[in-house]
């Protein structure tokens, strides 16, 4: 691989690596294992997420990158191997117990006001009109803000504004799960706010192979569980040409979600993160840019070197 590159030579479609020589990779000794609520950097396993120019190329031309050259993501680990995750009306439950939301997690709300909120109030609340909401006027005395991204602290600040009439949390009704992992008839009633229950595979966990388990875990087994010759179809799971009735997982998996729950491409959409895709834990922010700001204001200095909660 060309040093200091990732996937392609900068500003070109030329691959930055060659697969003519295959060398084994090794990990440094770990200091700790991934735990629930850790913020984790990893190589995203999903093929679609690794082809950022997918809108301009047919799927047949998408590139299957090696694990260490897949796109880097950073998300919060919501569930670890062996956990059962379920989301009800945006609230996450792990093994049947409610999980407290991260301190600065974002959710979307619809805000009805008697007039436009003063820019000074928006700046005080830390809201950016370019990214944090959409605004439309319904009448001379009614303005609606949709998809307003708010933390728990910002919610209270918005409620205290005298011109605000109501604040309603946006929660999707059950259904429309076609675009969610694992994309099966068994999950058609799921959506981003009402998801699961789903068991996170664990090394040594054995499942019976049937139509429902293949729908949930078939892709993971074939593409990520360290099998060189595995495939599945409507008739069953085949490894080295032999049909198997039970399967034991070879590594641990994790379920990742972004703190911005309504604007995050995460495990709800593309699935489990295999242990061999984990890069490490994230501890602090070394650089934060505002893509909508002017050149001289792009760096969010207030976030520089902040510890990640």
């Amino acid at each position: 691989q060309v040093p200091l590159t990732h996937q392609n030579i900068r500003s070109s479609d030329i691959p930055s690596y060659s697969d003519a020589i295959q060398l084994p990779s090794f990990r440094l000794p770990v200091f700790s294992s991934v735990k629930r609520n850790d913020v984790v950097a990893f190589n995203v396993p999903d093929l679609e997420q690794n082809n950022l120019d997918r809108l301009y190329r047919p799927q047949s031309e998408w590139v299957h990158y090696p694990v260490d050259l897949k796109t880097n993501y950073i998300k919060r680990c919501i569930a670890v191997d062996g956990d059962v995750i379920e989301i009800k009306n945006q609230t996450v439950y792990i093994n049947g117990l409610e999980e407290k939301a991260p301190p600065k997690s974002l959710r979307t709300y619809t805000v009805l006001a008697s007039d436009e909120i003063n820019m000074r109030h928006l700046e005080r609340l830390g809201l950016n009109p370019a990214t944090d909401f959409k605004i439309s006027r319904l009448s001379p005395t009614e303005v609606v803000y949709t998809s307003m991204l708010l933390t728990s602290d910002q919610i209270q600040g918005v409620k205290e504004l005298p011109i605000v009439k109501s604040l309603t949390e946006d929660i999707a009704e059950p259904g429309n799960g076609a675009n969610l992992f694992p994309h099966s008839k068994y999950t058609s009633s799921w959506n981003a706010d009402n998801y699961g229950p789903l068991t996170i595979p664990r090394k040594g966990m054995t499942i019976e192979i049937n139509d429902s388990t293949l729908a949930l875990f078939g892709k993971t087994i074939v593409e990520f569980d360290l099998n060189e010759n595995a495939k599945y179809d409507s008739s069953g799971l085949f490894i080295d040409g032999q049909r198997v009735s039970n399967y034991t997982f070879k590594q641990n998996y994790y379920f990742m979600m972004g703190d911005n729950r309504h604007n995050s491409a995460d495990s709800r959409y593309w699935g489990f993160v295999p242990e061999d895709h984990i890069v490490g834990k994230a501890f602090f922010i070394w650089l934060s840019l505002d893509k909508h700001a002017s050149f001289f204001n792009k760096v969010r200095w207030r976030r520089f070197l902040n510890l990640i909660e």
Side-chain angles (χ1 to χ4, degrees), residues 43-214:
N43 298 312
V44 65
D46 184 60
L47 175 63
E48 183 175 353
Q49 300 297 319
N50 277 285
N51 286 268
L52 301 180
D53 59 349
R54 57 187 177 272
L55 297 178
Y56 309 102
R57 291 190 296 143
Q59 189 168 350
S60 59
E61 296 181 6
W62 291 1
V63 181
H64 291 263
Y65 291 103
V67 171
D68 58 330
L69 285 179
K70 291 182 177 180
T71 302
N72 297 128
Y73 271 23
I74 181 169
K75 303 285 181 185
R76 190 176 298 275
C77 180
I78 297 298
V80 298
D81 51 287
D83 282 344
V84 178
I85 183 172
E86 186 170 11
I87 305 173
K88 300 177 182 178
N89 292 334
Q90 292 192 11
T91 300
V92 175
Y93 294 82
I94 303 297
N95 304 324
L97 300 177
E98 181 178 338
E99 280 287 299
K100 187 177 180 181
K104 294 184 180 180
S105 61
L106 292 164
R107 297 187 180 186
T108 60
Y109 295 80
T110 298
V111 176
L112 185 64
S114 57
D115 204 347
E116 291 189 22
I117 300 173
N118 188 286
M119 183 61 69
R120 175 169 49 86
H121 293 313
L122 294 174
E123 290 176 353
R124 177 175 57 83
L125 291 168
L127 295 175
N128 186 341
T131 58
D132 295 341
F133 57 81
K134 299 175 183 177
I135 180 174
S136 58
R137 181 173 287 277
L138 302 181
S139 71
T141 58
E142 282 190 321
V143 175
V144 63
Y145 292 80
T146 56
S147 301
M148 182 175 275
L149 288 166
L150 300 172
T151 64
S152 56
D153 292 339
Q154 289 172 324
I155 292 169
Q156 187 59 37
V158 171
K159 287 181 176 179
E160 292 173 354
L161 296 175
I163 64 172
V164 170
K165 295 182 176 180
S166 65
L167 184 148
T168 307
E169 187 173 5
D170 300 333
I171 297 179
E173 294 296 325
N176 193 29
N179 66 332
L180 295 176
F181 176 84
H183 315 288
S184 80
K185 62 183 180 182
Y186 297 99
T187 60
S188 60
S189 63
W190 299 5
N191 62 28
D193 296 334
N194 294 275
Y195 186 96
L198 179 65
T199 300
I200 315 303
R202 185 174 198 167
K203 184 178 180 179
M205 184 178 86
T206 300
I207 59 172
E208 180 183 350
I209 298 300
N210 53 45
D211 185 60
S212 62
T213 56
L214 278 181

Side-chain angles (χ1 to χ4, degrees), residues 15-34:
S16 64
Y17 64 96
S18 169
D19 56 7
I21 299 176
Q22 299 282 339
L23 298 175
S25 60
F26 302 93
R27 287 181 175 271
L28 292 171
V30 299
F31 294 102
S32 65
S33 59
V34 177

